[in-house]
Amino acid sequence: MKDKPLVSVILPTYNGAECIAEAIQSVLDQTYPNIELIVVDDGSTDGTKAIVESFSDKGVQFVAKPKNSGIADSLNVGILQAKGQYFARMDDDDVCMPERLMAQVEFLEQHPDVVVCATNDQNKGGDRPYLTDTELKIGLLFRNVIIHASVMMPMEVIKKYMYTVDMVPSEDYDLWSRLLNEGKFYKLEAPLMFIRYSADGQTATRRHEQLHLNVGIFKRIARCYGFNWDEAYESAVFKYIGHDYSMPAYTLLKLIEWFEQLLTQNNIKGMFPKSTFENELRYQENTFVTKYFYNRTLKDKIMPFIKLPLRLKLQVVKFYLNKHNA
């Protein structure tokens, strides 16, 4: 079985003592037989080092950085040391299902045109599958729809692109935006990860910074697909990305206008299948608009509602009727 491709699992950690033993054990318990696990410690001040070193007899490699320099740098350190044919992500507070790596290697071996293979997550569902290349790449135009810690990629691809250190905490969204023309993306439908979502995690605590970074990534993705970026919509799009429901009626209408421009451009240029693109666009638009009204006081709902297009008025009414009948 050792003749199977070597998978390098890179696990960056910072003060991860509470959960890291479970994370490491879930990698060691994989049904896939040929792996190396590289744990890169970003200057932890808790008991992380001792916990990792207790696994050293099982082939876990421990790399201690001299100072804290962030997750993207830790990933790059691990990638440069890796010897595998495939790169797999792992976080210090998550858990892999035993068959995760086997499923991803088998998929990538059968689909050499795929450069990003993610999986679903047992802890957080949703009503949008985002499985195929088309679904994922349309989804990425509106938000990051790929679970970073679930990803496996060909090592030659990640070593070519690496992580951009100054894009943390959007280092993953930035990476996907630079890989769009490198190959296909895919997400395995099976929930092969258990992800812990923490309110005090890096993404949560650095949310405002992330939003500023995401606007630039957003522009890059839109232009990569062939959409024209109009600066007149930037303020509305920024609030949309940040789930900011405080925008006045005028800004909401600019956002709706931006959605329509995307739809028109796609219909003309044919970047994506028309029905698939419109379905996702309407989902994103409807979701934002209904949450916009739900999060506003009654007096602040009147003027925006009056100005809404009829189809969105009906959507808002439907939302409240469903909520009342629930």
Side-chain angles (χ1 to χ4, degrees):
M1 296 290 285
K2 290 294 185 180
D3 61 350
K4 288 184 175 292
L6 176 65
V7 175
S8 299
V9 181
I10 313 298
L11 193 163
T13 184
Y14 175 68
N15 288 345
E18 182 177 354
C19 299
I20 196 169
E22 186 180 11
I24 291 173
Q25 192 61 54
S26 76
V27 175
L28 298 178
D29 288 342
Q30 290 295 296
T31 57
Y32 191 78
N34 196 12
I35 65 174
E36 63 173 358
L37 174 58
I38 303 173
V39 179
V40 182
D41 183 41
D42 196 18
S44 294
T45 57
D46 62 359
T48 296
K49 182 176 185 291
I51 294 171
V52 177
E53 289 183 337
S54 72
F55 288 90
S56 61
D57 60 330
K58 298 180 181 179
V60 178
Q61 302 175 43
F62 180 69
V63 179
K65 291 162 58 179
K67 63 178 181 178
N68 182 277
S69 55
I71 188 173
D73 180 66
S74 295
L75 286 165
N76 288 340
V77 168
I79 290 164
L80 291 174
Q81 182 167 316
K83 299 179 177 65
Q85 181 176 333
Y86 292 110
F87 156 72
R89 272 285 284 115
M90 185 67 187
D91 278 333
D92 61 10
D93 57 350
D94 299 330
V95 178
C96 297
M97 299 304 106
E99 63 276 20
R100 174 205 165 179
L101 298 182
M102 179 73 80
Q104 289 181 294
V105 170
E106 288 179 349
F107 184 85
L108 287 170
E109 290 285 284
Q110 295 166 13
H111 301 86
D113 55 343
V114 171
V115 296
V116 175
C117 177
T119 82
N120 263 324
D121 163 33
Q122 293 191 345
N123 194 31
K124 192 173 185 180
D127 55 0
R128 312 300 288 175
Y130 302 115
L131 299 177
T132 68
D133 182 62
T134 297
E135 290 170 348
L136 286 165
K137 287 181 177 174
I138 293 175
L140 286 169
L141 179 61
F142 300 102
R143 61 190 179 93
N144 189 354
V145 296
I146 297 174
I147 300 170
H148 191 196
S150 78
V151 162
M152 182 181 287
M153 299 169 57
M155 188 64 73
E156 63 181 1
V157 173
I158 190 61
K159 286 195 172 182
K160 175 181 176 182
Y161 285 88
M162 304 296 283
Y163 286 90
T164 306
V165 173
D166 59 6
M167 290 302 292
V168 176
S170 294
E171 73 283 350
D172 52 341
Y173 197 22
D174 168 72
L175 179 62
W176 316 145
S177 74
R178 293 184 286 119
L179 289 173
L180 293 172
N181 291 326
E182 186 71 25
K184 293 184 177 180
F185 293 10
Y186 197 84
K187 184 195 291 183
L188 301 181
E189 188 170 8
L192 299 176
M193 293 290 297
F194 180 84
I195 307 293
R196 290 185 173 94
Y197 296 92
S198 173
D200 59 355
Q202 180 173 260
T203 299
T205 57
R206 300 177 66 178
R207 183 63 174 160
H208 186 72
E209 181 183 357
Q210 185 181 53
L211 294 177
H212 280 284
L213 293 172
N214 284 357
V215 170
I217 297 169
F218 217 79
K219 291 181 183 179
R220 181 190 301 152
I221 293 174
R223 288 167 175 159
C224 178
Y225 292 161
F227 292 103
N228 297 325
W229 182 267
D230 190 333
E231 300 294 335
Y233 299 113
E234 185 159 322
S235 176
V237 173
F238 178 79
K239 290 181 180 296
Y240 162 73
I241 295 172
H243 308 288
D244 184 347
Y245 306 114
S246 66
M247 65 174 72
Y250 169 80
T251 306
L252 179 64
L253 292 178
K254 292 298 288 185
L255 179 64
I256 294 168
E257 186 179 322
W258 175 73
F259 277 116
E260 289 305 307
Q261 288 233 356
L262 290 181
L263 183 62
T264 299
Q265 288 184 48
N266 187 68
N267 287 342
I268 293 172
K269 298 181 180 180
M271 289 84 90
F272 296 104
K274 291 182 180 180
S275 60
T276 306
F277 186 80
E278 182 170 9
N279 182 43
E280 180 63 24
L281 183 145
R282 294 304 183 203
Y283 170 80
Q284 296 293 339
E285 180 183 55
N286 290 342
T287 298
F288 185 88
V289 170
T290 53
K291 288 184 177 179
Y292 174 86
F293 283 92
Y294 181 72
N295 283 277
R296 294 174 75 83
T297 63
L298 179 60
K299 68 181 181 65
D300 290 332
K301 294 176 182 180
I302 298 172
M303 188 56 66
F305 186 81
I306 291 172
K307 293 181 176 294
L308 278 183
L310 178 60
R311 59 181 172 79
L312 287 172
K313 281 189 173 79
L314 295 174
Q315 181 65 31
V316 172
V317 171
K318 180 181 177 182
F319 169 78
Y320 278 103
L321 288 175
N322 289 340
K323 190 169 182 63
H324 176 74
N325 294 328

